[in-house]
Amino acid sequence: MKEICEFEEWLKQIEQKVNKLPVEEKLEVIAEEIHSRYGARAWFSEILGKRWSHIAGWGGYDPTPVHQVVLLPRYGITVEREKIPEEEREALLNFIKQELTG
């Protein structure tokens, strides 16, 4: 239970950091926070048809193995999935979606 509270507090801190930032800057901060907390590299892309165009990211450009997730029709994330605990992964993705639409 303590980990859940700590995770939720971490998300609140990120929400405060990214408040009123443009989308690309928001995503850069979120990618940096993901890397800092989990050691996982994350890249955000704008989806243009079948092409994913990099717009923000953290931790170099050669992740293995990676997982691509469509967040919204226009945005996706490529992330080192296994480094993020399963119980936090969905909540984190939902938080990112909320930041992109809010």
Side-chain angles (χ1 to χ4, degrees):
M1 201 63 155
K2 182 180 178 185
E3 290 100 19
I4 293 172
C5 293
E6 191 270 331
F7 173 74
E8 290 171 356
E9 185 60 35
W10 177 70
L11 288 180
K12 286 179 187 175
Q13 290 172 359
I14 295 172
E15 187 176 26
Q16 291 172 352
K17 283 183 181 181
V18 301
N19 187 29
K20 300 191 189 222
L21 290 177
V23 170
E24 287 83 6
E25 290 179 38
K26 240 181 226 207
L27 296 176
E28 197 67 41
V29 169
I30 292 170
E32 182 178 355
E33 289 291 334
I34 290 170
H35 187 263
S36 177
R37 180 177 176 92
Y38 302 108
R41 296 173 292 176
W43 299 266
F44 291 96
S45 300
E46 183 174 14
I47 301 171
L48 308 166
K50 292 185 179 194
R51 185 171 159 254
W52 285 43
S53 180
H54 173 81
I55 56 173
W58 190 260
Y61 293 98
D62 191 25
T64 52
V66 296
H67 183 67
Q68 279 189 320
V69 177
V70 175
L71 298 168
L72 300 171
R74 184 175 172 192
Y75 296 105
I77 183 173
T78 303
V79 66
E80 292 176 304
R81 178 180 176 187
E82 76 284 349
K83 292 189 176 187
I84 300 173
E86 188 175 333
E87 61 275 5
E88 294 180 8
R89 188 178 316 128
E90 284 305 312
L92 179 58
L93 292 175
N94 288 333
F95 169 78
I96 295 167
K97 290 175 189 177
Q98 179 183 352
E99 287 300 318
L100 288 169
T101 58

